[in-house]
Amino acid sequence: VAAPAVAAVAVAAPAVATVAPPAAPLHCPLTTLRDRLHLACFFDADSHPLARHFVRHYATVVGVRLERMTFWVHAPTTTDANGVDDPRAYATAAAAAAAEHSLHAEGVDDVRRISSRWSDKLMLNVTNEFIKALPRDRWLVFANIDEFFYFPCDMQRRIAERKTTFCADMEDRVAQSRRAVELREAPPIDEQFPVRCRIRQSLRPRGQRPTTTEKITLFLASPAGRPHRQYKSPHRLFSQYGKLGRCNNTGSFSHYTATTMYVQAIEKKLRNFRWNPTVEMDYRSQLKLLRADAPLC
């Protein structure tokens, strides 16, 4: 008797594990500019909890040397709108000392205290004088303490193409709860505020000019040996060079203001300083949004 036929069973070859190539990084440190790159920051002493996060970001993510970082800590001796001595000034002095301690602990030496009454004009004058003192071939990042800039990995190519001014769009970062929360020393700030929002882009009613959310993030101090660049406003440089000074957009940057500390900062600004109606309206809109027990986005 013939043996029964045995059906052939196809045996699948064992799966071969493949490793996907790592994704290209979204941003890179400015390695090729490292020897000529400076960072400047002018900030209110009450914002000192941001200082360590700020320094670590610009040192590691952007690649600025600690010895090329300059900070002005604003701690006025009077905070009253009429120039009258205010007891809150003592608390501000303590906050300034805390800010200086945080910066020095991170390895930053160039920390300067400013006690004059605050204004955008004061900040721009101080910054513009600093720019004038830089060698002509230096590059500058000028950021507020709550602004964390990033740069794409093709910056070397862009600079080789004679781009001398770069800008990016503000992107608000909020906590997972989507509400204003307290900033902590750890974990890293981007882990505390992982959600990306565009809060400022929707602050003003329809029909009004939107809030300016684009900022200069990096520029060459003196393109082609011409006079040093100068700030016209916190968001803009003077148009001194025509096409040569045109802004080259690099995407977005992180803006960390969805904090209880920032709520207090707005309250302080509205209490102590006189603003033009448009700016005051923006601050009041932000304050209303951050105070509300509702998701920010």
Side-chain angles (χ1 to χ4, degrees), residues 26 144 203 211 244 252 255:
L26 298 177
N144 290 341
L203 276 180
T211 304
L244 184 64
S252 62
H255 194 216

Side-chain angles (χ1 to χ4, degrees), residues 185-263:
E185 188 170 333
I189 193 168
D190 58 333
E191 294 180 20
Q192 295 183 50
F193 300 88
V195 180
R196 302 173 186 272
C197 291
R198 291 192 174 269
I199 297 171
R200 277 161 179 74
Q201 287 81 344
S202 58
L203 276 180
R204 294 181 184 174
R206 288 184 179 180
Q208 288 191 10
R209 190 177 70 176
T211 304
T212 301
T213 57
E214 185 182 71
K215 288 204 73 171
I216 301 292
T217 55
L218 174 72
F219 62 92
L220 180 61
S222 175
R226 299 181 186 183
H228 285 68
R229 301 302 301 267
Q230 295 284 274
Y231 272 95
K232 180 180 182 179
S233 75
H235 288 252
R236 291 284 179 267
L237 292 163
F238 280 101
S239 300
Q240 298 163 275
Y241 306 106
K243 187 176 180 180
L244 184 64
R246 192 173 296 166
C247 187
N248 188 259
N249 194 280
T250 57
S252 62
F253 67 88
S254 296
H255 194 216
Y256 293 98
T257 57
T259 64
T260 52
M261 177 178 64
Y262 185 68
V263 171

Side-chain angles (χ1 to χ4, degrees), residues 3 19 28 34 50 64 66 80 107 114 124 132 138 149 163 165 209 211 218 226 250 260 281 284 289:
V19 179
C28 293
R34 186 170 172 80
L50 276 161
V64 185
L66 294 172
D80 186 273
I114 299 285
L124 295 180
K132 288 179 183 178
R138 299 303 169 90
F149 299 158
K163 303 293 192 298
T165 308
R209 190 177 70 176
T211 304
L218 174 72
R226 299 181 186 183
T250 57
T260 52
M281 180 187 69
R284 293 196 182 280
L289 188 65

